[in-house]
Amino acid sequence: MLITFPDGNKREYENGTSALQIAESISSGLARTVVAAKVNGKTVDVCEPLNEDGTLELIKFDTTEGKDVYWHSTAHLMAQAVKELYPEVKVAIGPAIENGFYYDFDREDAFSDEELEKITQKMKELAKKKFTYERRVVSRDEALSFFQNQDEQYKVELLEAIGDDQVISMYTQGGFTDLCRGPHLPDTGMIKAIKLLKTSGAYWRGDEKNKMLKRIYGISFPSNKELNQYLENLEEAKKRDHRVLGKDLDLFSFSSEIGAGLVLWHPKGALIRHFIESFWKEQHLKNGYSLVNTPHLGKAELWKTSGHLGFYDESMYAPMSIDEQDYYIKPMNCPFHIEIYNSSKKSYRQLPVRYAEMGNVYRYERAGTLHGLMRVRGFTQDDAHIICTNEQMASEVKRAVEFSVFMLKSFGFEDFEIYLSTKPAEKFVGEAEDWEKAEAALENALKELNIDFQVDEGGGAFYGPKIDIKIKDALGRAWQCSTIQFDFNLPTRFNMEYVGADNSVHRPYMIHRALLGSLERFFATLLEYYGGNLPMWLAPEQVRILPVSDLYLDYSQKVCDELAKQGFRVHISNEDQGVSYKIRAAEKQKIPYMLICGEKEEKAGTVSVRQHTKGNIGSFELSELSDILR
């Protein structure tokens, strides 16, 4: 068989040779680090025999696919350890997640910290035995019989839900067998460093009507050094948690009286939002967008036309009856923007149309998935829709990508992960030719702008390909922000048209585009990225004046008035406390600059300046200080 490598090199191997054997033929060091293989675009076990010509990519832990395989394999190892220590426990599911893995178990009592340590030690013991992960394809009846005999009712339920056309496989390591698609590591010996992090409750299949299971979260790495670095980052992440910072800095809160997932913005938080939204509007107007505003609810017929009531109704709030008609609170802005477009006939001369809105939307998220500002039920979508002709498509995509990068860099983000998601293999709408044009436009825009990106083959939505931009922070965490998404579905559903230069009616292209994504999630990302130490232009309070005593309140007020007149956000700390207390209070509130005013400063017409986290930076006249602050 002829194997083609990512660099274009080709080599012949005997049929039945595995990717691991191919890795060993290249380098024994390489073979020790390969965790899986991608054959013709599909991730498979590295030990699986290959029997046909194709492309081969050897996957290591340091890739997204590699981590997924590594952590999924560790989840199986954890389940094996739990079953050996507590045979009465029933196993449910154990996937890899963004950072690590979890496994759900049916057990009456929660796992204690002592038991987590005991499970960890058993996992390490089993790992050292280097059990191979053996895959076996079986019939549905054979799998059902096996798990029924094991009294594993959750596996039986999963099997009953699997379609007749799907391949059923089981993996065994040591004395433990699990129902799983795979792929997995060659053996448990590759798992070197393990930490079980926490436990929680989780409803079976995420349904509150089902039984509450016991979930264990964990993380694993090929070395203790990597694990220790991760745990250090985890501690730093706790300090940066936007929920903690939001409370400490008095930015936002939630109330059980109002409802879960609905945000209350406090004065300081609302002020920061104002700065973000004002900048957003200013830049959109400069970039040729038209600002629109749309209602919070619409008639059921609208959501039937859009398809939301057919495909998205579980995430929509229940209808309300008005004038004997059902209305739904909006989960998205798209249909409203389309109705604005369709309100008058359009000529090709009027395109492109770019509608932008900071639109409030509401989506029902399960209570267990809510997480601060990251996952809420009511949020503000940084939304825009670009409606253009075939000829304008490429330039509009490039323009949108440039605008996305500009906006993110304006907020201080520099390190990005960018993904191009292409047509799904099976379910999709639209003509193949349109998909090809759209994918080419997205890819060419990234290449022309010299932006590195990864291709997510088949990862596009059923209605169009897309670009996703994630930002990376100092801890290496990736945050989803910008999305540029083609839609071949809604223009047809809403019969969108324009008259072309040939006087014929044409269907326009439509691009969904969010630069910041959800404003709530973006706000949380900003807080955690900066650890609450927001850039000067976003700080709700930029300067705090600290009088040494009440004798210097008048001078402090004079300084305050002068800075306020120049547009700075400044307050006076007039508590009956010493200056050391006032400094600590200002530091805790992460005020960028503190100005100390005492006898010496009043006589000289200066202020002593402290910068947050840096301490004293000297004495300055107000004119000098203004330049520093600006």
Side-chain angles (χ1 to χ4, degrees), residues 155-271:
K155 299 299 178 183
V156 171
E157 187 176 330
L158 289 171
L159 276 165
E160 290 172 343
I162 293 176
D164 293 335
D165 59 338
Q166 293 188 43
V167 174
I168 295 172
S169 59
M170 302 194 303
Y171 278 82
T172 300
Q173 85 268 7
F176 176 73
T177 298
D178 208 345
L179 177 70
C180 187
R181 293 193 190 97
H184 284 287
L185 296 172
D187 63 66
T188 61
M190 295 189 76
I191 302 171
K192 303 293 186 183
I194 303 164
K195 177 69 175 178
L196 300 187
L197 300 168
K198 63 178 181 178
T199 63
S200 70
Y203 291 108
W204 168 235
R205 308 193 101 168
D207 190 338
E208 293 93 334
K209 297 175 183 176
N210 290 335
K211 186 171 184 179
M212 175 75 78
L213 305 178
K214 308 301 182 293
R215 176 173 294 179
I216 301 177
Y217 289 92
I219 191 77
S220 60
F221 289 94
S223 71
N224 283 315
K225 180 181 178 182
E226 290 166 289
L227 175 60
N228 291 335
Q229 182 61 58
Y230 176 83
L231 295 176
E232 285 179 24
N233 287 349
L234 205 59
E235 286 303 309
E236 180 61 28
K238 287 178 183 177
K239 298 176 189 174
R240 293 170 177 251
D241 190 321
H242 75 277
R243 294 167 297 177
V244 176
L245 291 168
K247 184 177 181 180
D248 291 346
L249 302 178
D250 193 24
L251 303 177
F252 61 87
S253 65
F254 297 88
S255 167
S256 58
E257 296 298 314
I258 291 173
L262 302 172
V263 189
L264 291 169
W265 292 94
H266 296 202
K268 287 183 180 179
L271 192 58

Side-chain angles (χ1 to χ4, degrees), residues 381-382 404 407-408 411 413 416-417 467-472 478-484 513-518 521-523 525-526:
Q381 188 74 40
D382 148 39
S404 295
M407 286 292 286
L408 295 177
F411 286 93
F413 303 123
F416 306 123
E417 287 182 353
I467 289 173
D468 285 326
I469 302 179
K470 298 181 179 181
I471 57 173
K472 292 191 73 175
W479 307 88
Q480 173 66 51
C481 282
S482 304
T483 296
I484 299 166
R513 193 242 58 198
L515 302 185
L516 308 182
S518 151
R521 183 183 295 147
F522 184 75
F523 191 100
T525 301
L526 270 177

